[in-house]
Amino acid sequence: MKKTFTILLMAIAYLATFILGAASGAIHPAFYAYIGALLPLLTAFIYLYTCTFIRSFGAATALNGFVLVLFLIAGEADVAFIIGIVALTALSEIIRKSNGYETMKGVRWSFLPFALSSFTYTAHWWTDTEGSLAAAIE
């Protein structure tokens, strides 16, 4: 029970980093541009700690799956976000399995695609720039 609670707490913390990144532009537009350098550092602690509890398949899936489900419920998930987060989660899990679930090498290398997951939320700016600008103006 404690393990499940800890994983849920890490998923909520991971969701908070997504919200921090998305809301940072409300503070100042420059924050939105530079938050991308900070988010992977914050998610590193969350992911690495989650990997200590999930020592097999599922660390990236639990965190990104939680965010994906909540974004789908909230209507914030577009096609680029869904494809990007699923692909990066799968890549992270494959890398972790191929390098060993119990090894630091497996966890470290699997973090690289996982760290890019936070950028999938803003992928719509690159895939549908006109639509994103029109939505921002509304």
Side-chain angles (χ1 to χ4, degrees):
M1 186 67 169
K2 181 182 177 189
K3 180 179 176 180
T4 305
F5 179 73
T6 304
I7 293 169
L8 180 62
L9 189 62
M10 290 297 102
I12 292 169
Y14 183 59
L15 175 68
T17 62
F18 264 85
I19 294 170
L20 174 71
S24 64
I27 299 168
H28 190 277
F31 284 4
Y32 191 70
Y34 297 111
I35 197 73
L38 180 64
L39 283 181
L41 295 174
L42 294 174
T43 60
F45 295 111
I46 297 166
Y47 180 69
L48 296 175
Y49 191 65
T50 303
C51 285
T52 64
F53 284 95
I54 302 175
R55 295 194 171 260
S56 60
F57 175 84
T61 304
L63 297 175
N64 278 341
F66 183 76
V67 169
L68 179 60
V69 167
L70 290 180
F71 276 35
L72 285 168
I73 291 169
E76 287 291 319
D78 61 352
V79 175
F81 173 74
I82 295 168
I83 292 171
I85 204 164
V86 169
L88 289 171
T89 301
L91 184 60
S92 181
E93 294 289 357
I94 290 167
I95 289 172
R96 189 165 176 223
K97 179 172 176 36
S98 65
N99 287 302
Y101 289 118
E102 296 290 329
T103 65
M104 283 302 292
K105 180 182 177 185
V107 174
R108 287 179 184 156
W109 282 106
S110 70
F111 174 70
L112 295 176
F114 180 81
L116 296 174
S117 298
S118 60
F119 297 107
T120 59
Y121 182 67
T122 57
H124 59 89
W125 285 99
W126 306 107
T127 58
D128 183 24
T129 307
E130 280 185 29
S132 298
L133 289 174
I137 291 171
E138 285 181 19

